[in-house]
Amino acid sequence: MPTASSHLLREPSPIVLSVCTSLGNLCRCERGTIVAGTTVLLVLHSSSSALRESSVTWPSRLHLRTRRLIMSKQLQARRLNGIDHNPWVEFIRLAKEYDVVNLGQGFPDFSPPDFAVQAFQQATSGDFMLNQYTMAFGYPPLTKILASFFGKLLGQELDPLKNMLVTVGAYGALFTAFQALVDEGDEVIIIEPAFDCYEPMTLMAGGRPVFVSLKPSPAAKGQLESSNDWQLDPTELASKFTPRTKALVLNTPNNPLGKVFSKKELELVADLCQQHDVLCISDEVYQWLVYDGHQHVSIASLPGMWERTLTIGSAGKSFSATGWKVGWVMGPDRILKHLRTVHQNSIFHCPTQAQAAVAQCFEREQQHFGQPSSYFLQLPQAMKLNRDHMIRSLQSVGLKPLIPQGSYFLIADISDFKSKMPNLPGAEDEPYDRRFAKWMIKNKGLVAIPVSIFFSQPHQKDFDHYIRFCFVKDEATLQAMDERLQKWKKELQP
Ligand code: PMP
Ligand code: GLN
């Protein structure tokens, strides 16, 4: 029996029934026949949107004599143009296709701490009202503890109802911020390499991304480069501010570089934001992950910055539980009230049980803060060992890691491979690092993320010789990585 995917469209007034199909003759003609047994997708349509959909096996032969309604207009909203490709979707799929050690996407492959697991279990098996809606802008015990915890860190008296918004992950916080603050034609300065969603989120809000790159300077001879060697050029940064600049996006510690912005660098950014009356969206999801005595500084804590800064965090990153998807954004009420408008008309609120679990985790952390038992101290201690392990191992095959000061990522320089094997398979215009990452997945069973995805299109060619590895991984994963690298090393020997 032939199978066709067809649409039965109904327009409200006057009501016209139509059938179209994406397959075969029915698709292109206004009159035709559907034979019995054909699978048909029925879509009940208003003039602007699909109201209901169901798939049915058509019971009998049907002659079409009605008007065909295939949309000739562009289907997707213009704001989606050019942003349909997503590197995470692509590389997560690739990682699943091969037998690999996955050091690509940033998620821990070990359990969250016991107190966090117990908090989640309690949230799902305790008070049955946690199965129900909670307050739109955050489960009250969570907004209360977040306000108290971060208020102390930022030196601000925070009101849980006015200065804190709980979101679906840090992604949700970012999206809500862009939607609330960026207008058609507004410019948004993005410091690259940058977490890849800042650009599409700016575009979806109608804004114009304006990029400024951190520039690497060579390491001393015989030394490994460090993320610290990547610096902003103050003159170039200043030149990016125009009367249309609405916001600057900062990410410290930075994904993918692991750079922790120094107080001096943040002061430069802060001065320019104040001089040009610009908002700062500060993504600080890796704030606990800093190494070698470096300090994370929140730009909102600098003089004059609280009033123009949104600070974004993630429970997924804080408690090694990325699947919980609880994030938050804090800032002054006069800015947050606009984010609340977006939130109340879109997500409304995040899952109550996950919020209850995160509240308990922060209550626990507040009691242990600054002590050796604090997870916010234990996690970076453990990740420093992982970082150093990975740095040693990657060098065995000629990958040149840069030492990150923060986050759980490091980037490795693949220039030597680029000169030795320049012609890896791939599309002609595909940046080298993408081709290399795919080659490495298929041939070496190791997943890393090409760093050019963290750069705007015009700059990708200049930064196509790095790949990003994630080291928030279990001991067994790092051992498996070592085995793959040893095998690779043997293959390199003549
Ligand atoms: N910001 C940065 C810099 C990230 O790396 C990520 C990825 N997790 C996010 C935001 C999104 O965080 P979440 O998983 O909490 O949505
Ligand atoms: N933030 C994570 C990373 O950088 C994951 C991003 C994602 O999966 N969309 O790896």
Side-chain angles (χ1 to χ4, degrees):
M1 215 34 101
T3 300
S5 163
S6 307
H7 291 191
L8 181 61
L9 305 176
R10 171 183 283 218
E11 275 196 333
S13 140
I15 292 173
V16 179
L17 282 180
S18 278
V19 176
C20 60
T21 154
S22 58
L23 292 177
N25 58 349
L26 285 177
C27 158
R28 297 287 161 236
C29 64
E30 293 188 6
R31 289 161 204 279
T33 305
I34 297 181
V35 291
T38 300
T39 303
V40 174
L41 182 69
L42 299 178
V43 183
L44 179 60
H45 237 255
S46 75
S47 54
S48 57
S49 61
L51 300 175
R52 222 177 308 133
E53 247 185 58
S54 60
S55 186
V56 295
T57 303
W58 201 255
S60 59
R61 196 176 170 84
L62 171 78
H63 294 287
L64 294 179
R65 266 176 244 108
T66 48
R67 187 157 60 89
R68 180 177 59 104
L69 295 178
I70 293 176
M71 278 192 83
S72 55
K73 295 175 188 147
Q74 169 167 315
L75 208 50
Q76 81 277 22
R78 259 184 302 122
R79 61 184 168 274
L80 302 192
N81 288 352
I83 62 165
D84 50 340
H85 174 262
N86 180 288
W88 305 109
V89 173
E90 180 185 6
F91 276 85
I92 291 164
R93 185 181 46 72
L94 260 181
K96 288 204 185 312
E97 264 176 46
Y98 295 86
D99 168 29
V100 291
V101 179
N102 191 350
L103 306 166
Q105 193 191 17
F107 64 91
D109 65 354
F110 48 79
S111 170
D114 288 348
F115 69 83
V117 174
Q118 281 156 16
F120 208 103
Q121 282 165 351
Q122 200 181 323
T124 53
S125 61
D127 180 0
F128 68 87
M129 283 308 288
L130 293 179
N131 291 294
Q132 305 307 330
Y133 290 137
T134 183
M135 302 291 284
F137 308 126
Y139 174 61
L142 178 57
T143 48
K144 186 164 170 243
I145 186 70
L146 288 174
S148 144
F149 192 93
F150 286 100
K152 286 196 191 88
L153 291 181
L154 294 175
Q156 287 286 336
E157 186 81 26
L158 299 188
D159 180 332
L161 295 177
K162 293 186 172 155
N163 302 124
M164 204 53 81
L165 173 65
V166 178
T167 55
V168 178
Y171 262 111
L174 288 161
F175 185 74
T176 309
F178 281 101
Q179 286 298 313
L181 305 171
V182 176
D183 233 331
E184 204 66 34
D186 282 349
E187 292 174 7
V188 176
I189 299 177
I190 299 175
I191 302 170
E192 36 175 33
F195 186 46
D196 64 297
C197 72
Y198 305 152
E199 180 179 5
M201 284 193 189
T202 303
L203 292 170
M204 281 190 282
R208 192 170 86 78
V210 174
F211 295 96
V212 57
S213 304
L214 289 159
K215 304 277 185 325
S217 52
K221 209 168 166 42
Q223 301 244 310
L224 287 178
E225 255 184 75
S226 141
S227 55
N228 211 6
D229 300 329
W230 290 54
Q231 299 278 338
L232 279 171
D233 173 346
T235 316
E236 190 189 0
L237 177 63
S239 75
K240 301 291 174 179
F241 285 78
T242 75
R244 297 277 357 215
T245 310
K246 183 71 180 286
L248 174 145
V249 191
L250 177 75
N251 174 213
T252 180
N254 169 275
N255 177 9
L257 199 51
K259 179 184 170 69
V260 178
F261 283 73
S262 68
K263 189 158 181 231
K264 196 157 162 264
E265 289 170 305
L266 295 177
E267 281 166 353
L268 167 74
V269 173
D271 278 355
L272 287 166
C273 285
Q274 290 181 32
Q275 210 177 306
H276 295 273
D277 196 17
V278 163
L279 297 167
C280 181
I281 300 174
S282 187
D283 180 342
E284 303 183 12
V285 299
Y286 301 106
Q287 76 175 100
W288 314 112
L289 291 152
V290 283
Y291 312 114
D292 309 327
H294 289 282
Q295 290 283 322
H296 168 74
V297 179
S298 286
I299 196 165
S301 69
L302 299 185
M305 283 309 283
W306 166 256
E307 281 306 322
R308 59 179 65 250
T309 302
L310 289 174
T311 308
I312 290 173
S314 161
K317 306 292 167 183
S318 304
F319 298 109
S320 302
T322 56
W324 292 9
K325 289 302 279 187
V326 175
W328 55 87
V329 47
M330 58 195 136
D333 185 42
R334 54 180 273 279
I335 308 181
L336 267 200
K337 71 177 187 189
H338 301 299
L339 277 71
R340 290 196 293 269
T341 304
V342 173
H343 188 84
Q344 74 200 7
N345 293 307
S346 52
I347 302 300
F348 199 71
H349 86 62
C350 312
T352 312
Q353 291 165 330
Q355 293 194 63
V358 176
Q360 272 206 36
C361 290
F362 267 104
E363 277 154 21
R364 190 259 179 205
E365 272 307 292
Q366 192 159 55
Q367 283 163 14
H368 292 249
F369 197 67
Q371 297 168 34
S373 51
S374 161
Y375 192 64
F376 295 163
L377 281 184
Q378 289 176 345
L379 182 64
Q381 275 164 10
M383 287 313 108
K384 181 187 169 341
L385 298 178
N386 282 12
R387 177 196 73 167
D388 295 345
H389 178 153
M390 189 178 260
I391 287 173
R392 277 192 307 275
S393 299
L394 292 180
Q395 291 177 80
S396 64
V397 293
L399 291 161
K400 291 196 188 129
L402 276 72
I403 305 167
Q405 301 146 351
S407 84
Y408 41 53
F409 305 113
L410 63 79
I411 70 170
D413 190 328
I414 53 168
S415 305
D416 288 353
F417 291 90
K418 195 176 171 192
S419 38
K420 279 186 215 139
M421 34 187 234
N423 298 319
L424 291 178
E428 207 175 313
D429 58 347
E430 199 171 8
Y432 183 77
D433 59 341
R434 290 177 66 90
R435 286 187 276 144
F436 184 87
K438 289 180 190 168
W439 170 83
M440 196 171 75
I441 292 172
K442 290 174 194 164
N443 296 282
K444 305 297 170 196
L446 287 169
V447 184
I449 303 294
V451 167
S452 61
I453 68 148
F454 300 96
F455 282 90
S456 54
Q457 241 266 312
H459 296 159
Q460 287 185 358
K461 274 277 165 217
D462 299 331
F463 294 95
D464 71 344
H465 53 287
Y466 298 99
I467 51 175
R468 190 199 79 174
F469 289 89
C470 173
F471 55 83
V472 68
K473 299 295 168 193
D474 193 50
E475 187 55 39
T477 310
L478 295 182
Q479 263 172 28
M481 167 191 77
D482 283 345
E483 281 158 25
R484 303 276 165 126
L485 288 169
Q486 284 310 313
K487 187 164 172 272
W488 185 350
K489 188 177 167 189
K490 280 197 194 115
E491 288 161 9
L492 289 174
Q493 281 155 7

